[in-house]
Every structure is written in structure tokens, then in C-alpha cells.
Amino acid sequence: MAYEHILVETHDNVGVITLNRPKALNALCTDLVREVGSALNDMEANNEIGAIVLTGSEKAFAAGADIKEMADKSYMDVYLEDFITNGWEVITTCRKPIIAAVAGYALGGGCEFAMMCDFILAADNAKFGQPEITIGTIPGAGGTQRLPRYVGKSKAMEMVLTGRIMDAEEAERAGLVSRIVPLEELKDEAIKTAAKIADLSRPIVFTAKESVNRAYETTLAEGLRFERRTFHATFATEDQKEGMQAFAEKRSPKFNHR
Ligand code: HXC
């Protein structure tokens, strides 16, 4: 399928979506978000693909929702079209792991886009922020909810109330990103990390992702019960048998369900 605002590639069993609206620093206009949703749905349905990388340019992952597109919308416009839920949440419903590989600006909706992914790898020039307050609005795609879960209340509140931007090192210290890599290695490292996941057992990867996500949606006791049951369920798979036998036989496992 031909896209206008994104590039789509596959590297063996890894799908890569690159936001590609350079003149607007990858501002997330409606068409771009729709294209990302469509590409993700294709990758989710493609059995060859086991994990996905979502990235942008060296200068910007995405500088936010498209301010020019939003500026004149009325309350009724945004209410009726359910502005921003519409299309964005495909990232959060995808069962295959999605790594956000962030270089440059990840601001506003760009930071929210990255936080919807399963984890964030940052280039050393990455900058994260929720500057919506400086243009008379607030985060609308999860920033006030996901940022505190990543970095805690104090830092999230400061960022949302002041619009202050944090650099990659602060983001790593705060737990927003899993690790920092040199800018020139970001894409390769993200693909390598995704390939490592894609080579593992697909059902077990899905189970692990589902279980970690439970931590954000339920109590500790319920989450532990969910984990125990899904852990038990892994013993019903051939891949658990193969993985443990391979360990005992000192060889690499050959998982069936890629
Ligand atoms: C539309 C944008 C944009 C955006 C940048 N551009 N960000 N267009 N929406 N969010 C456009 C600029 O208008 C300009 O186009 C071109 O990209 C280059 O931007 P510059 O400002 O000239 O670049 P620079 O001086 O390097 O500054 C980079 C920047 C700045 C610091 C990232 O662009 C900036 O502050 N952008 C807005 C950041 C922001 O407030 N994001 C939150 C948006 S609200 P022209 O044609 O003029 O050259 C949001 C709400 C989310 O995300 C709610 C739910 C999703």
C-alpha cells in the first residue's frame, strides 16, 4: 500500500514504520496517524513479522499533534470525532511488541505516541516533553496518565504544568526510556532488539506483554493472580517444552510458533 506520510519496511521478521513528514517535524496529522494505524494492522496480520519498530527522523520522532490542523477545531468538532482517541490507540491494541526508537523531539502527542509503545529506546539527542500547556491546552492522548506511570508524579506534574523538555539522560534516569544509544546506531539497535524478540516464541511473547501491561491496569493482588495463571498456561505450549529441553541439552531452542 502506498503511504504519503510514513515509510514501511521489513527486516526479516521485524516491521519498521518510519514517520516521514520532515517539513513539519513529523507532526501527527490525522492522515499520518491513520497511515500508522493501517500499517500496524497489516503487520499484526502478517505472520512473518514478530515485532515492530516505530521511529522518526534524526531531528524529530514527532513534534506533537498537528497544531495547524487542530487550531480552529470547535468543542463540537473534537467531541463528535472523538479527537485523538480515533486511530491513535491501534498502538495500544497491537499484540506484537512495538519499540519506539526516538531521536530528536518527542513532544506533546509525539511523547504520547512513544509512551503508547511497549518501550522506548532513545538516541542521545532525544528530547521529551508535554508542552501543550504553553499553547493553551493539555495532553490529550494519555500524557497526564502515562507520564506519571513512567516517571512518577513529581516529574510528570512539573513537565505537564511547565512544558519543560527533558533530555535523553534525564529521561533514562527517570525511567521513561529503557536505554540510550548513540544517534547513528539507534535504528540498527532498535531492529536488533526487535529481532531478538521476534525470534522467541510468539505466544510466550504475547503472554509476557499482556502480563506486564496488567501491572498498569489492576491491583497488585489481581495482577499477581493473572501472572500466575498465564505462567501456568505457558506449560501448555510446545515452546515451553522445547525451550527447557534445549537448555538441558545445551543447544539453542527451535520455537515452532514464530
Ligand atoms: C504543526 C509543526 C509542529 C506541530 C513543528 N511544526 N511542530 N507543525 N504541528 N506540532 C512545523 C513548524 O510550524 C515549521 O513549519 C516546521 O515544523 C519546523 O519547525 P520549527 O519550529 O521551525 O523548528 P525549530 O525552530 O527547530 O523548533 C522545533 C520545535 C518547535 C521546538 C519542536 O517546532 C515546536 O515548539 N513545535 C511545537 C511543539 C509542541 O507544542 N507540541 C505539542 C503540540 S500539541 P513551517 O511551515 O512554519 O516552516 C499536542 C497535543 C496532543 O501534541 C493532544 C493529543 C494528541
Side-chain angles (χ1 to χ4, degrees):
M1 177 166 171
Y3 293 114
E4 191 184 347
H5 301 304
I6 63 171
L7 305 171
V8 174
E9 321 153 56
T10 52
H11 294 255
D12 296 324
N13 46 11
V14 173
V16 180
I17 301 173
T18 305
L19 309 181
N20 185 35
R21 244 194 118 197
K23 287 192 182 137
L25 300 183
N26 292 334
L28 302 164
C29 61
T30 306
D31 287 345
L32 181 152
V33 174
R34 203 172 283 138
E35 289 183 7
V36 171
S38 159
L40 281 175
N41 283 331
D42 287 349
M43 289 180 181
E44 182 85 319
N46 181 346
N47 282 336
E48 301 299 312
I49 291 177
I52 298 162
V53 172
L54 181 60
T55 193
S57 71
E58 292 193 352
K59 180 156 189 208
F61 176 74
D66 191 315
I67 299 170
K68 294 165 193 169
E69 191 183 73
M70 267 185 306
D72 293 328
K73 284 186 191 286
S74 67
Y75 170 75
M76 217 27 88
D77 293 333
V78 295
Y79 177 67
L80 288 178
E81 71 187 68
D82 203 8
F83 182 57
I84 233 72
T85 305
N86 211 344
W88 287 58
E89 287 178 354
V90 180
I91 301 180
T92 63
T93 55
C94 188
R95 298 181 79 197
K96 292 177 183 170
I98 308 177
I99 302 172
V102 173
Y105 295 109
L107 301 181
C111 187
E112 293 170 305
F113 226 47
M115 289 192 291
M116 285 178 188
C117 297
D118 293 304
F119 59 94
I120 303 174
L121 280 185
D124 44 22
N125 75 339
K127 296 174 199 67
F128 298 88
Q130 298 291 162
E132 289 89 342
I133 198 111
T134 66
I135 56 167
T137 185
I138 69 166
T144 66
Q145 303 304 302
R146 290 197 178 92
L147 191 60
R149 284 167 165 83
Y150 276 97
V151 306
K153 176 182 171 184
S154 193
K155 197 176 281 286
M157 194 64 100
E158 187 205 345
M159 291 182 66
V160 169
L161 290 182
T162 67
R164 182 173 75 79
I165 289 173
M166 66 172 149
D167 64 17
E169 296 219 333
E170 184 180 357
E172 188 188 30
R173 276 199 309 276
L176 178 58
V177 309
S178 67
R179 60 199 162 90
I180 302 173
V181 295
L183 172 60
E184 57 281 7
E185 292 168 23
L186 178 70
K187 188 173 170 188
D188 285 351
E189 186 58 32
I191 292 172
K192 214 164 82 186
T193 306
K196 201 168 180 179
I197 297 169
D199 278 340
L200 297 169
S201 160
R202 180 105 22 109
I204 305 298
V205 165
F206 283 7
T207 305
K209 170 169 166 165
E210 200 182 354
S211 195
V212 174
N213 279 334
R214 269 301 156 111
Y216 293 93
E217 288 174 8
T218 191
T219 61
L220 177 61
E222 274 308 316
L224 290 171
R225 266 192 285 276
F226 181 84
E227 181 196 73
R228 185 81 53 89
R229 288 292 164 257
T230 45
F231 165 68
H232 290 162
T234 65
F235 286 74
T237 66
E238 289 171 15
D239 286 343
Q240 174 268 335
K241 299 287 168 292
E242 168 61 10
M244 294 191 185
Q245 254 162 32
F247 175 81
E249 291 165 12
K250 300 188 189 303
R251 61 173 174 83
S252 301
K254 290 192 185 61
F255 294 121
N256 280 323
H257 306 285
R258 292 237 166 130

